[in-house]
Amino acid sequence: MTDSNSRGNLLRIAALVAIASLVATAVWLGARGRADGSDKTTTGDPASSSTQSSGVEETAPETAPTDGVVIPGGADRANGYPTGFPQTDLGAVALQIEVAKAQVGFDYDQAVTVAGLYADPADKAVFEERARDAVALRRQQTGVPEDGDVPAPASYAVTPIAYTLEALGTEYYAVNLLSYVTLTTADGEVKDGLYAGTQLMRWLEVDGVWDWRLVQGSSQDIEHLVQQGQPQAVAPNTPEFKQAGWVPINGAAQ
């Protein structure tokens, strides 16, 4: 995503940002000028959305393939977003990926909609507030007004490239996701970076439908993750990447 000069001048940013994720780190790879100046629907097998909870299947490989792990998609859609993820550990990873890809805009209402769609109803208010805070931060980072229309060329894009997975209990996982981030300011400055964030996922039934859901987790769960230390935002194809335990995602640019 960046040239060798950008990669050679990493700008490290403070860690432990508790807005969109429980634990997060970011590393900006550099900045460059802008080159160009410029209702619920359901698809797939209906039976998939009513699968009973009979244990999550472990499909994540112990050793990552050289070309990365293929992440499953959702069988259904709601409000234009994938749902109906498989009852597997990689299904939890799939949810984290979709949340990361969806939460990149500057619209507070859109961010709240996504948070409400994917969160456990018991934790809905928490994730909606995090979504609002994340939008406010993106607006600040790109130098656009706190409210109202966002002028071009300001934008924020996320490309998930790797994950780690930890079982915290029965049908309950901590998913760490490493992503490339490209932030374009209102002035046209483009900043490329790496972002690592952690979310907690449970396989839950909501209104008769089983699926993976974002959960806040207990204070003990969060303390465990913080004390254990989560993988840091490090560049792929480096010794640090492998040491951190990151598993590449198939099809993602490395």
Side-chain angles (χ1 to χ4, degrees):
M1 291 184 63
T2 61
D3 57 28
S4 59
N5 290 332
S6 296
R7 290 187 181 277
N9 295 281
L10 297 183
L11 174 60
R12 295 192 176 276
I13 295 180
L16 294 179
V17 180
I19 293 181
S21 301
L22 297 172
V23 182
T25 63
V27 175
W28 290 110
L29 301 173
R32 50 191 166 88
R34 185 175 174 85
D36 55 10
S38 59
D39 291 306
K40 181 175 181 180
T41 58
T42 301
T43 60
D45 182 3
S48 65
S49 63
S50 59
T51 301
Q52 296 300 307
S53 179
S54 58
V56 170
E57 182 182 359
E58 296 182 359
T59 58
E62 293 185 5
T63 302
T66 55
D67 57 350
V69 173
V70 176
I71 305 299
D76 307 322
R77 297 187 74 84
N79 296 326
Y81 298 101
T83 60
F85 300 104
Q87 190 178 350
T88 67
D89 48 6
L90 288 181
V93 177
L95 172 58
Q96 167 71 311
I97 289 174
E98 293 302 333
V99 170
K101 289 163 58 178
Q103 289 283 20
V104 296
F106 300 97
D107 187 303
Y108 291 97
D109 291 338
Q110 182 266 350
V112 167
T113 296
V114 172
L117 172 66
Y118 288 130
D120 177 0
D123 296 329
K124 181 178 178 180
V126 171
F127 283 98
E128 288 179 343
E129 185 61 29
R130 289 182 186 175
R132 293 188 189 95
D133 290 343
V135 170
L137 178 60
R138 286 195 289 274
R139 283 175 170 265
Q140 181 184 39
Q141 289 175 326
T142 51
V144 302
E146 182 179 355
D147 296 293
D149 295 337
V150 176
S155 64
Y156 191 95
V158 171
T159 303
I161 58 173
Y163 75 90
T164 70
L165 186 68
E166 178 184 351
L168 298 178
T170 303
E171 303 177 335
Y172 181 32
Y173 290 89
V175 180
N176 307 291
L177 192 66
L178 177 66
S179 302
Y180 278 128
V181 175
T182 300
L183 181 153
T184 304
T185 70
D187 297 329
E189 182 182 26
V190 183
K191 299 179 180 180
D192 292 335
L194 290 166
Y195 178 86
T198 305
Q199 296 280 15
L200 304 183
M201 316 287 182
R202 279 191 186 276
W203 180 254
L204 296 172
E205 181 184 15
V206 178
D207 296 330
V209 177
W210 288 89
D211 208 347
W212 288 104
R213 294 277 181 162
L214 295 168
V215 296
Q216 182 180 8
S218 67
S219 58
Q220 291 87 351
D221 294 333
I222 296 172
E223 182 179 358
H224 162 75
L225 292 171
V226 172
Q227 289 183 347
Q228 178 177 272
Q230 300 306 292
Q232 300 296 294
V234 292
N237 301 317
T238 63
E240 293 80 9
F241 181 86
K242 185 175 182 180
Q243 291 167 7
W246 288 115
V247 179
I249 293 171
N250 179 271
Q254 301 294 314

